[in-house]
Amino acid sequence: MEVYDLIENTLNDYRQIKLAARNENWQVRYAAAIAIGLRKDIGDIYYLKDMLQNEHLLPLYTQPRASFTGSGDDTSMAEKLMPLTVNFERPVSPEELAAWQCRGRVKQACLYAAAAIAFADDDLLQLIHDCLQDDDYSVKVAAIYALGFTGNKQSLAKLKLLTASSEWCT
């Protein structure tokens, strides 16, 4: 079955979440997280925990060296920009390229799904707390958002530590 068929099946039939959550293709896992968020069923937090744990084990490529292949005279107008080509410092495998394309998107979708469900058991809450330390800032932001719906007093202490970070734009 094609990737896009799997994505569509997952979004249209919640019974597909179990298989989609463990699919090797990140786009299908992303669709599973979106479906969980749409469904808002507390019983699905098992899949969120499983997905966050598995995503944490994958490589993360957040800042590859990228360059423009060309541009018009004035690059301030988006329609004058040419397509971007991503140049890696070494040859990358198809798996590494997929990991770079994913770049935390599945984690983000899981975190937003947890916020939509507005419930986290202790294990999921710990995974959300762990995402506050992720190298990908969009994952950190999604974790902060999720804690707004699922956090507890321990979450406040962890969030307070983030405010002291010099890495955040203020």
Side-chain angles (χ1 to χ4, degrees):
M1 188 175 280
E2 292 291 322
V3 169
Y4 295 105
D5 292 332
L6 289 169
I7 291 169
E8 188 172 332
N9 288 345
T10 302
L11 292 172
N12 291 321
D13 181 1
Y14 293 130
R15 295 173 295 180
Q16 300 297 320
I17 290 173
K18 180 178 181 179
L19 295 174
R22 288 225 163 194
N23 192 285
E24 65 184 25
N25 186 294
W26 73 268
Q27 294 165 315
V28 177
R29 295 191 311 272
Y30 181 83
I34 296 294
I36 290 169
L38 292 171
R39 182 173 146 100
K40 298 179 183 178
D41 185 336
I42 290 174
D44 289 339
I45 66 166
Y46 167 80
Y47 301 117
L48 292 178
K49 292 188 290 190
D50 189 48
M51 291 168 69
L52 283 170
Q53 288 169 339
N54 291 333
E55 292 298 315
H56 183 67
L57 300 174
L58 297 175
L60 176 66
Y61 298 91
T62 56
Q63 298 296 328
R65 185 170 48 94
S67 63
F68 290 104
T69 55
S71 64
D73 295 321
D74 180 9
T75 59
S76 65
M77 309 248 330
E79 65 270 10
K80 293 186 178 183
L81 294 178
M82 304 297 176
L84 276 177
T85 298
V86 179
N87 298 310
F88 293 95
E89 294 177 359
R90 60 175 175 71
V92 296
S93 69
E95 293 80 16
E96 289 175 309
L97 182 59
W100 176 81
Q101 291 170 331
C102 179
R103 289 176 300 191
R105 288 184 173 106
V106 175
K107 285 183 187 178
Q108 291 172 55
C110 288
L111 294 163
Y112 287 121
I117 295 170
F119 173 81
D121 64 10
D122 290 341
D123 294 332
L124 180 56
L125 192 57
Q126 183 57 53
L127 289 166
I128 296 170
H129 288 164
D130 292 347
C131 287
L132 293 172
Q133 303 305 316
D134 201 276
D135 291 335
D136 189 319
Y137 285 102
S138 58
V139 172
K140 286 182 183 183
V141 170
I144 292 166
Y145 181 81
L147 289 175
F149 295 90
T150 62
N152 60 18
K153 287 183 181 181
Q154 293 173 342
S155 303
L156 290 175
K158 295 183 180 296
L159 290 168
K160 188 173 182 180
L161 288 174
L162 285 179
T163 63
S165 172
S166 62
E167 296 177 3
W168 289 88
C169 295
T170 54

